[in-house]
Amino acid sequence: MDRPGKAARGKRRWVGLRITPAADSRESCQDIISDYLSGLNWKMFDCKSDDLCTLVIIRAHLEDCDETISRLNESESIQTLTKSGKIRLVRERLGLN
């Protein structure tokens, strides 16, 4: 069976964010984000940690993007840094090439 065409899948936005202090693992990072985004449709793609912070890229549907960003920015440990319609641009902006 064929999958839906590009237009039928809907528009998405990629959101780059920083979690401080650094998360212990990918799962703990996902749990932290889940606490703020319950009820919204999102998915985590990239997660890279260093000693100070964790850089994360998530995908959100276009209609949920503003709500996603506002919920994440309510947290003192999460800061949204950039958003784009292309994951490549978010990766470049965060230095995750």
Side-chain angles (χ1 to χ4, degrees):
M1 191 167 157
D2 292 333
R3 67 181 212 183
K6 184 176 180 181
R9 290 192 303 257
K11 292 188 181 253
R12 304 169 182 160
R13 288 295 177 261
W14 301 93
V15 180
L17 50 107
R18 177 186 312 140
I19 299 175
T20 310
D24 298 332
S25 65
R26 184 177 178 91
E27 291 77 25
S28 67
C29 183
Q30 190 147 357
D31 291 341
I32 292 168
I33 296 170
S34 294
D35 290 341
Y36 293 97
L37 299 184
S38 62
L40 295 177
N41 193 355
W42 66 280
K43 183 176 180 183
M44 185 171 71
F45 277 78
D46 293 350
C47 180
K48 183 176 180 183
S49 295
D50 62 15
D51 294 338
L52 302 174
C53 67
T54 301
L55 297 176
V56 180
I57 298 177
I58 63 170
R59 181 189 71 200
H61 286 277
L62 180 62
E63 57 271 4
D64 294 335
C65 187
D66 291 335
E67 178 71 16
T68 298
I69 291 173
S70 94
R71 285 190 190 185
L72 290 172
N73 284 331
E74 288 175 1
S75 167
E76 292 184 17
S77 63
I78 301 175
Q79 177 186 14
T80 57
L81 302 173
T82 185
K83 75 174 179 177
S84 177
K86 298 185 183 298
I87 192 171
R88 176 184 53 83
L89 294 176
V90 176
R91 283 180 174 149
E92 286 176 6
R93 292 172 188 164
L94 295 180
L96 296 177
N97 297 342

